[in-house]
Amino acid sequence: MYDAGSSGTRLYIYEKLGDNWAEHEGPKVSALADPVREIRGKRWQDADAVTTEVVNALDDIKKDGPLQDNGKPKWEAFDWGTQCNIASASVYATAGMRIAENENRERSQQLWQMLKQKLQVKIGKSVKVNTRTLSGYEEGLYAWLAVRENATNNEFGILEMGGASSQITFPCPECDITDDAVKAVMLGDETIQIYSYSFLGLGQDEAPKTLGFPDSCAYGVGATQTGWKPEQCTQQISVKDTKGIIDPYNFDGDGRRTYDNPTAYNRDIEKWYLTGAFNYMKASNINTCCLNKGDCYNQEYSCFQALYLPMYLQTLQIPVSSDTANVNWTQGATICSINDCLQKANKPVCRWSQQGCLQ
Protein backbone atom coordinates (compact mmCIF):
# COMPACT_ATOMS: atom_id res chain seq x y z
CA MET A 1 0.00 0.00 0.00
CA TYR A 2 1.52 3.29 -1.15
CA ASP A 3 0.59 6.64 0.36
CA ALA A 4 1.14 8.98 -2.59
CA GLY A 5 1.00 12.24 -0.64
CA SER A 6 1.64 15.81 -1.66
CA SER A 7 5.21 15.82 -0.30
CA GLY A 8 6.27 12.30 -1.31
CA THR A 9 5.24 8.68 -1.82
CA ARG A 10 5.67 6.26 1.07
CA LEU A 11 5.50 2.46 0.84
CA TYR A 12 3.80 0.43 3.58
CA ILE A 13 3.39 -3.34 3.61
CA TYR A 14 0.72 -4.82 5.89
CA GLU A 15 1.26 -8.38 7.07
CA LYS A 16 -1.62 -10.29 8.66
CA LEU A 17 -0.51 -11.94 11.88
CA GLY A 18 -3.44 -13.69 13.55
CA ASP A 19 -6.00 -11.01 14.36
CA ASN A 20 -3.50 -8.18 14.04
CA TRP A 21 -1.65 -6.34 11.31
CA ALA A 22 2.10 -5.79 11.30
CA GLU A 23 3.09 -2.60 9.51
CA HIS A 24 6.36 -2.53 7.57
CA GLU A 25 7.27 1.01 6.58
CA GLY A 26 9.51 1.39 3.56
CA PRO A 27 11.27 4.21 1.73
CA LYS A 28 9.82 7.58 0.86
CA VAL A 29 10.29 8.53 -2.79
CA SER A 30 9.17 11.35 -5.08
CA ALA A 31 5.64 12.75 -5.02
CA LEU A 32 3.57 11.42 -7.92
CA ALA A 33 1.98 14.78 -8.57
CA ASP A 34 5.24 16.70 -9.00
CA PRO A 35 5.89 15.94 -12.70
CA VAL A 36 2.23 16.63 -13.56
CA ARG A 37 2.27 19.95 -11.69
CA GLU A 38 5.91 20.61 -12.65
CA ILE A 39 6.92 21.61 -9.14
CA ARG A 40 9.88 20.91 -6.83
CA GLY A 41 12.26 20.69 -9.78
CA LYS A 42 10.28 18.08 -11.71
CA ARG A 43 9.06 18.40 -15.31
CA TRP A 44 6.51 16.29 -17.17
CA GLN A 45 9.46 14.54 -18.85
CA ASP A 46 10.31 13.12 -15.41
CA ALA A 47 7.04 11.16 -15.15
CA ASP A 48 8.65 7.94 -16.38
CA ALA A 49 11.51 8.22 -13.87
CA VAL A 50 9.17 9.07 -10.98
CA THR A 51 6.81 6.14 -11.64
CA THR A 52 9.81 3.81 -11.92
CA GLU A 53 11.14 5.14 -8.61
CA VAL A 54 7.79 4.43 -6.94
CA VAL A 55 7.72 0.83 -8.18
CA ASN A 56 11.40 0.26 -7.31
CA ALA A 57 10.62 1.02 -3.66
CA LEU A 58 9.42 -2.60 -3.57
CA ASP A 59 13.02 -3.69 -4.24
CA ASP A 60 14.48 -1.15 -1.81
CA ILE A 61 12.41 -2.36 1.14
CA LYS A 62 13.97 -5.81 0.84
CA LYS A 63 17.16 -4.40 2.37
CA ASP A 64 17.78 -2.03 5.26
CA GLY A 65 17.63 1.66 4.44
CA PRO A 66 20.64 3.97 4.84
CA LEU A 67 21.79 4.67 8.37
CA GLN A 68 20.53 7.79 10.12
CA ASP A 69 22.37 9.97 12.65
CA ASN A 70 21.10 7.73 15.46
CA GLY A 71 22.76 4.71 13.87
CA LYS A 72 19.48 3.06 12.90
CA PRO A 73 18.37 2.44 9.29
CA LYS A 74 15.66 4.65 7.79
CA TRP A 75 13.60 1.51 7.33
CA GLU A 76 14.06 -2.14 8.28
CA ALA A 77 14.38 -4.76 5.59
CA PHE A 78 11.30 -6.82 4.80
CA ASP A 79 11.44 -9.39 2.00
CA TRP A 80 7.81 -9.47 0.96
CA GLY A 81 8.64 -11.77 -1.96
CA THR A 82 9.54 -14.69 0.31
CA GLN A 83 7.51 -13.87 3.42
CA CYS A 84 4.12 -12.97 1.97
CA ASN A 85 1.37 -14.22 -0.26
CA ILE A 86 0.49 -10.85 -1.81
CA ALA A 87 -3.27 -10.22 -1.86
CA SER A 88 -3.24 -6.78 -3.51
CA ALA A 89 -1.04 -3.82 -4.37
CA SER A 90 -2.42 -0.29 -4.21
CA VAL A 91 -1.12 3.21 -4.88
CA TYR A 92 -3.58 5.69 -3.43
CA ALA A 93 -2.92 9.38 -3.89
CA THR A 94 -4.28 12.22 -1.82
CA ALA A 95 -4.44 16.00 -2.10
CA GLY A 96 -1.38 16.54 -4.29
CA MET A 97 -2.85 14.43 -7.07
CA ARG A 98 -6.29 15.99 -6.60
CA ILE A 99 -4.72 19.32 -7.46
CA ALA A 100 -2.75 17.71 -10.30
CA GLU A 101 -5.86 16.10 -11.82
CA ASN A 102 -7.58 19.46 -11.70
CA GLU A 103 -4.67 21.24 -13.33
CA ASN A 104 -3.93 18.66 -16.03
CA ARG A 105 -6.37 15.78 -16.35
CA GLU A 106 -4.74 14.29 -19.48
CA ARG A 107 -1.25 14.10 -17.99
CA SER A 108 -2.66 12.66 -14.77
CA GLN A 109 -4.42 9.91 -16.72
CA GLN A 110 -1.21 9.06 -18.55
CA LEU A 111 0.74 8.94 -15.30
CA TRP A 112 -1.75 6.58 -13.66
CA GLN A 113 -1.70 4.24 -16.67
CA MET A 114 2.10 4.26 -16.74
CA LEU A 115 2.30 3.48 -13.04
CA LYS A 116 -0.28 0.70 -13.11
CA GLN A 117 1.46 -1.08 -15.96
CA LYS A 118 4.84 -0.98 -14.21
CA LEU A 119 3.42 -2.08 -10.85
CA GLN A 120 1.51 -4.97 -12.43
CA VAL A 121 4.70 -6.23 -14.06
CA LYS A 122 6.57 -6.00 -10.74
CA ILE A 123 3.89 -7.72 -8.65
CA GLY A 124 2.64 -10.26 -11.18
CA LYS A 125 -0.48 -10.60 -13.30
CA SER A 126 -2.38 -12.62 -10.68
CA VAL A 127 -2.33 -9.82 -8.08
CA LYS A 128 -5.00 -7.13 -8.08
CA VAL A 129 -3.46 -3.68 -8.61
CA ASN A 130 -5.24 -0.43 -7.69
CA THR A 131 -3.89 2.96 -8.72
CA ARG A 132 -6.08 6.01 -8.21
CA THR A 133 -6.67 9.19 -6.26
CA LEU A 134 -8.71 8.75 -3.11
CA SER A 135 -11.76 10.85 -2.52
CA GLY A 136 -11.54 13.17 0.47
CA TYR A 137 -14.22 11.07 2.17
CA GLU A 138 -12.08 7.93 1.92
CA GLU A 139 -8.92 9.64 3.15
CA GLY A 140 -10.67 10.90 6.28
CA LEU A 141 -12.45 7.61 6.90
CA TYR A 142 -9.25 5.59 6.58
CA ALA A 143 -7.49 7.81 9.13
CA TRP A 144 -10.50 7.37 11.45
CA LEU A 145 -10.34 3.59 11.03
CA ALA A 146 -6.61 3.59 11.82
CA VAL A 147 -7.25 5.52 15.05
CA ARG A 148 -10.15 3.16 15.86
CA GLU A 149 -7.70 0.25 16.11
CA ASN A 150 -6.60 1.60 19.51
CA ALA A 151 -9.84 3.31 20.58
CA THR A 152 -12.24 1.79 23.10
CA ASN A 153 -15.39 2.61 21.11
CA ASN A 154 -16.63 4.38 17.97
CA GLU A 155 -17.66 7.59 19.74
CA PHE A 156 -14.83 9.84 18.64
CA GLY A 157 -13.84 12.17 15.85
CA ILE A 158 -10.53 12.87 14.12
CA LEU A 159 -9.09 15.97 12.52
CA GLU A 160 -6.18 15.35 10.19
CA MET A 161 -3.80 18.02 8.92
CA GLY A 162 -1.88 17.26 5.76
CA GLY A 163 0.28 19.35 3.50
CA ALA A 164 -2.41 20.23 0.96
CA SER A 165 -5.69 19.21 2.61
CA SER A 166 -7.34 18.67 5.97
CA GLN A 167 -9.88 15.97 6.84
CA ILE A 168 -12.52 15.88 9.56
CA THR A 169 -14.33 12.62 10.28
CA PHE A 170 -16.79 11.50 12.98
CA PRO A 171 -19.90 9.31 13.52
CA CYS A 172 -23.06 11.24 12.72
CA PRO A 173 -26.26 9.23 13.18
CA GLU A 174 -28.37 12.42 12.94
CA CYS A 175 -26.81 13.51 9.62
CA ASP A 176 -28.83 13.44 6.43
CA ILE A 177 -27.67 10.37 4.48
CA THR A 178 -28.35 12.23 1.21
CA ASP A 179 -25.48 14.58 2.10
CA ASP A 180 -22.52 13.34 0.03
CA ALA A 181 -20.20 13.88 3.03
CA VAL A 182 -22.17 11.18 4.88
CA LYS A 183 -21.99 7.46 4.10
CA ALA A 184 -23.03 4.16 5.64
CA VAL A 185 -19.92 2.32 6.82
CA MET A 186 -19.78 -1.35 7.79
CA LEU A 187 -17.89 -2.00 11.02
CA GLY A 188 -18.10 -5.74 11.58
CA ASP A 189 -21.80 -6.57 11.73
CA GLU A 190 -22.73 -2.98 12.50
CA THR A 191 -23.57 -0.21 10.04
CA ILE A 192 -23.00 3.36 11.19
CA GLN A 193 -23.24 6.72 9.49
CA ILE A 194 -19.91 8.49 9.22
CA TYR A 195 -19.43 12.12 8.22
CA SER A 196 -16.10 12.74 6.47
CA TYR A 197 -15.02 15.83 4.57
CA SER A 198 -11.73 16.98 3.10
CA PHE A 199 -10.96 20.69 2.69
CA LEU A 200 -8.65 20.88 -0.31
CA GLY A 201 -6.30 23.81 0.10
CA LEU A 202 -6.46 24.04 3.90
CA GLY A 203 -3.45 21.78 4.48
CA GLN A 204 -0.62 23.55 6.28
CA ASP A 205 1.52 23.98 3.14
CA GLU A 206 -1.28 25.20 0.86
CA ALA A 207 -3.10 27.42 3.37
CA PRO A 208 -0.63 30.33 3.03
CA LYS A 209 -1.45 30.33 -0.69
CA THR A 210 -5.22 29.94 -0.42
CA LEU A 211 -5.91 32.07 2.66
CA GLY A 212 -3.23 34.69 2.15
CA PHE A 213 0.19 35.17 3.68
CA PRO A 214 0.35 38.51 5.52
CA ASP A 215 3.72 40.06 6.38
CA SER A 216 2.67 39.77 10.01
CA CYS A 217 2.83 35.96 9.66
CA ALA A 218 6.40 35.86 8.31
CA TYR A 219 9.16 33.76 9.82
CA GLY A 220 10.80 35.63 12.69
CA VAL A 221 8.45 38.62 12.36
CA GLY A 222 8.65 39.34 16.10
CA ALA A 223 12.41 39.77 15.87
CA THR A 224 12.03 42.75 13.55
CA GLN A 225 8.65 44.26 14.53
CA THR A 226 8.64 45.70 18.04
CA GLY A 227 5.57 44.74 20.05
CA TRP A 228 4.40 42.07 17.57
CA LYS A 229 1.56 39.86 18.83
CA PRO A 230 0.10 36.66 17.32
CA GLU A 231 -3.25 38.40 16.74
CA GLN A 232 -1.62 40.60 14.12
CA CYS A 233 -1.27 37.47 12.00
CA THR A 234 -4.37 35.46 12.89
CA GLN A 235 -6.79 38.36 12.51
CA GLN A 236 -5.84 38.53 8.83
CA ILE A 237 -6.50 34.84 8.16
CA SER A 238 -10.12 33.81 7.53
CA VAL A 239 -10.94 30.11 7.48
CA LYS A 240 -14.68 30.71 7.76
CA ASP A 241 -17.22 33.18 6.45
CA THR A 242 -21.02 33.42 6.54
CA LYS A 243 -21.37 30.38 4.24
CA GLY A 244 -19.23 28.06 6.36
CA ILE A 245 -15.69 26.69 6.39
CA ILE A 246 -13.94 27.67 3.18
CA ASP A 247 -12.97 24.83 0.84
CA PRO A 248 -10.60 26.68 -1.53
CA TYR A 249 -9.85 24.22 -4.35
CA ASN A 250 -12.92 21.99 -4.51
CA PHE A 251 -15.86 22.67 -6.82
CA ASP A 252 -19.58 23.09 -6.45
CA GLY A 253 -22.12 24.02 -9.10
CA ASP A 254 -20.87 27.61 -9.25
CA GLY A 255 -17.20 26.80 -9.82
CA ARG A 256 -14.09 26.42 -7.75
CA ARG A 257 -14.25 27.30 -4.03
CA THR A 258 -17.05 25.83 -2.02
CA TYR A 259 -17.98 25.43 1.66
CA ASP A 260 -18.98 22.87 4.24
CA ASN A 261 -20.29 23.10 7.79
CA PRO A 262 -19.06 20.23 9.99
CA THR A 263 -19.60 22.37 13.10
CA ALA A 264 -23.34 21.97 12.54
CA TYR A 265 -22.94 18.29 13.48
CA ASN A 266 -19.78 17.77 15.51
CA ARG A 267 -20.85 19.50 18.73
CA ASP A 268 -21.89 16.15 20.27
CA ILE A 269 -18.45 14.60 19.80
CA GLU A 270 -16.69 14.71 23.16
CA LYS A 271 -13.50 12.85 22.25
CA TRP A 272 -11.23 14.09 19.46
CA TYR A 273 -7.92 12.84 18.11
CA LEU A 274 -5.60 15.05 16.09
CA THR A 275 -3.52 13.37 13.40
CA GLY A 276 -1.01 14.26 10.70
CA ALA A 277 0.86 17.54 11.19
CA PHE A 278 -0.95 18.11 14.50
CA ASN A 279 1.53 15.64 15.98
CA TYR A 280 4.17 18.35 15.66
CA MET A 281 2.07 21.25 16.95
CA LYS A 282 3.66 22.90 19.97
CA ALA A 283 2.90 26.22 21.66
CA SER A 284 6.65 26.84 21.76
CA ASN A 285 6.72 26.98 17.93
CA ILE A 286 5.30 30.51 18.17
CA ASN A 287 8.30 31.64 20.18
CA THR A 288 10.77 29.73 18.02
CA CYS A 289 9.39 30.61 14.58
CA CYS A 290 7.58 33.93 15.10
CA LEU A 291 9.24 35.79 17.94
CA ASN A 292 12.66 34.45 16.98
CA LYS A 293 14.33 32.97 13.95
CA GLY A 294 14.88 29.54 15.36
CA ASP A 295 15.26 26.10 13.79
CA CYS A 296 11.86 25.56 12.14
CA TYR A 297 10.42 23.08 9.66
CA ASN A 298 9.39 24.69 6.35
CA GLN A 299 11.03 27.90 7.55
CA GLU A 300 9.33 30.40 5.22
CA TYR A 301 5.83 29.44 6.40
CA SER A 302 6.74 28.17 9.87
CA CYS A 303 5.32 31.13 11.82
CA PHE A 304 2.11 31.03 9.78
CA GLN A 305 1.77 27.31 10.47
CA ALA A 306 2.48 27.69 14.19
CA LEU A 307 -0.46 30.10 14.45
CA TYR A 308 -2.72 28.55 11.80
CA LEU A 309 -3.06 25.09 13.37
CA PRO A 310 -4.53 26.18 16.73
CA MET A 311 -6.66 28.84 15.00
CA TYR A 312 -8.05 26.18 12.63
CA LEU A 313 -8.92 23.95 15.59
CA GLN A 314 -10.73 26.82 17.29
CA THR A 315 -12.73 27.51 14.11
CA LEU A 316 -13.83 23.86 13.99
CA GLN A 317 -14.68 23.96 17.72
CA ILE A 318 -12.20 21.22 18.55
CA PRO A 319 -10.09 21.58 21.73
CA VAL A 320 -6.42 22.39 21.12
CA SER A 321 -5.71 20.08 24.07
CA SER A 322 -7.15 17.03 22.24
CA ASP A 323 -5.00 13.90 22.18
CA THR A 324 -2.80 13.33 19.15
CA ALA A 325 -2.63 10.03 17.29
CA ASN A 326 0.36 9.13 15.14
CA VAL A 327 -1.32 6.79 12.65
CA ASN A 328 -1.16 6.12 8.94
CA TRP A 329 -4.39 6.15 6.95
CA THR A 330 -2.93 3.33 4.85
CA GLN A 331 -3.69 0.98 7.76
CA GLY A 332 -7.34 2.08 7.70
CA ALA A 333 -7.43 1.60 3.94
CA THR A 334 -6.18 -1.95 4.37
CA ILE A 335 -8.80 -2.68 7.04
CA CYS A 336 -11.58 -1.22 4.89
CA SER A 337 -10.45 -3.18 1.83
CA ILE A 338 -10.37 -6.50 3.69
CA ASN A 339 -13.79 -5.91 5.27
CA ASP A 340 -15.39 -4.09 2.31
CA CYS A 341 -16.44 -1.37 4.73
CA LEU A 342 -17.95 0.85 2.01
CA GLN A 343 -20.10 -1.86 0.41
CA LYS A 344 -23.30 0.04 1.28
CA ALA A 345 -21.98 3.47 0.31
CA ASN A 346 -22.59 5.42 -2.85
CA LYS A 347 -19.78 5.96 -5.34
CA PRO A 348 -16.93 8.30 -4.34
CA VAL A 349 -17.40 12.02 -4.97
CA CYS A 350 -14.40 13.69 -6.62
CA ARG A 351 -15.02 17.33 -5.72
CA TRP A 352 -11.69 18.50 -7.12
CA SER A 353 -12.83 18.09 -10.73
CA GLN A 354 -15.90 19.38 -12.54
CA GLN A 355 -15.56 16.33 -14.80
CA GLY A 356 -15.82 13.86 -11.95
CA CYS A 357 -13.48 11.03 -10.95
CA LEU A 358 -10.66 10.16 -13.32
CA GLN A 359 -10.86 6.39 -12.86
Side-chain angles (χ1 to χ4, degrees), residues 134-347:
L134 292 179
S135 67
Y137 185 95
E138 291 170 302
E139 184 179 2
L141 173 65
Y142 296 159
W144 188 87
L145 288 171
V147 172
R148 181 176 178 264
E149 285 296 283
N150 295 311
T152 56
N153 56 51
N154 299 328
E155 303 305 313
F156 67 91
I158 65 110
L159 184 65
E160 181 177 36
M161 178 60 68
S165 68
S166 174
Q167 289 69 237
I168 181 170
T169 307
F170 52 89
C172 192
E174 72 275 16
C175 283
D176 184 353
I177 195 64
T178 62
D179 183 338
D180 61 18
V182 181
K183 295 186 186 298
V185 177
M186 290 288 295
L187 300 176
D189 296 328
E190 182 183 9
T191 302
I192 66 173
Q193 284 189 182
I194 299 284
Y195 172 100
S196 182
Y197 194 91
S198 176
F199 292 93
L200 184 58
L202 293 190
Q204 66 168 2
D205 296 334
E206 286 294 319
K209 306 171 189 176
T210 59
L211 302 178
F213 184 47
D215 292 341
S216 55
C217 301
Y219 168 66
V221 60
T224 57
Q225 291 186 16
T226 304
W228 176 89
K229 294 182 179 180
E231 293 79 13
Q232 292 173 242
C233 169
T234 56
Q235 287 176 358
Q236 297 188 65
I237 304 170
S238 297
V239 178
K240 183 178 182 179
D241 65 22
T242 55
K243 295 182 181 179
I245 306 296
I246 298 167
D247 187 359
Y249 288 155
N250 279 323
F251 286 86
D252 66 7
D254 298 323
R256 202 174 195 183
R257 185 178 171 112
T258 183
Y259 301 85
D260 206 70
N261 293 287
T263 54
Y265 306 112
N266 71 358
R267 62 178 65 91
D268 293 331
I269 303 296
E270 296 183 359
K271 181 65 176 177
W272 287 95
Y273 291 96
L274 309 180
T275 70
F278 287 116
N279 281 284
Y280 308 100
M281 181 179 67
K282 296 182 294 184
S284 61
N285 289 343
I286 298 173
N287 182 67
T288 305
C289 306
C290 299
L291 289 170
N292 297 286
K293 292 189 174 183
D295 183 14
C296 301
Y297 169 75
N298 197 5
Q299 182 176 289
E300 180 183 2
Y301 298 128
S302 59
C303 176
F304 177 99
Q305 292 167 345
L307 297 166
Y308 169 63
L309 267 61
M311 185 193 76
Y312 182 62
L313 284 166
Q314 184 179 17
T315 304
L316 287 169
Q317 300 173 20
I318 296 173
V320 175
S321 59
S322 298
D323 290 340
T324 55
N326 192 8
V327 299
N328 298 307
W329 62 256
T330 46
Q331 182 182 14
T334 301
I335 294 167
C336 184
S337 175
I338 295 296
N339 298 308
D340 196 12
C341 77
L342 289 172
Q343 60 186 270
K344 294 186 177 182
N346 295 327
K347 291 182 179 180

Side-chain angles (χ1 to χ4, degrees), residues 3-10 30-33 40 92-97 329:
D3 171 4
S6 58
S7 63
T9 304
R10 176 75 76 182
S30 298
L32 270 182
R40 282 192 284 261
Y92 289 144
T94 54
M97 274 305 296
W329 62 256

Side-chain angles (χ1 to χ4, degrees), residues 36-53:
V36 178
R37 300 180 66 192
E38 296 194 326
I39 60 174
R40 282 192 284 261
K42 293 291 193 295
R43 308 291 295 175
W44 173 238
Q45 290 80 2
D46 298 312
D48 181 62
V50 168
T51 51
T52 296
E53 184 184 1

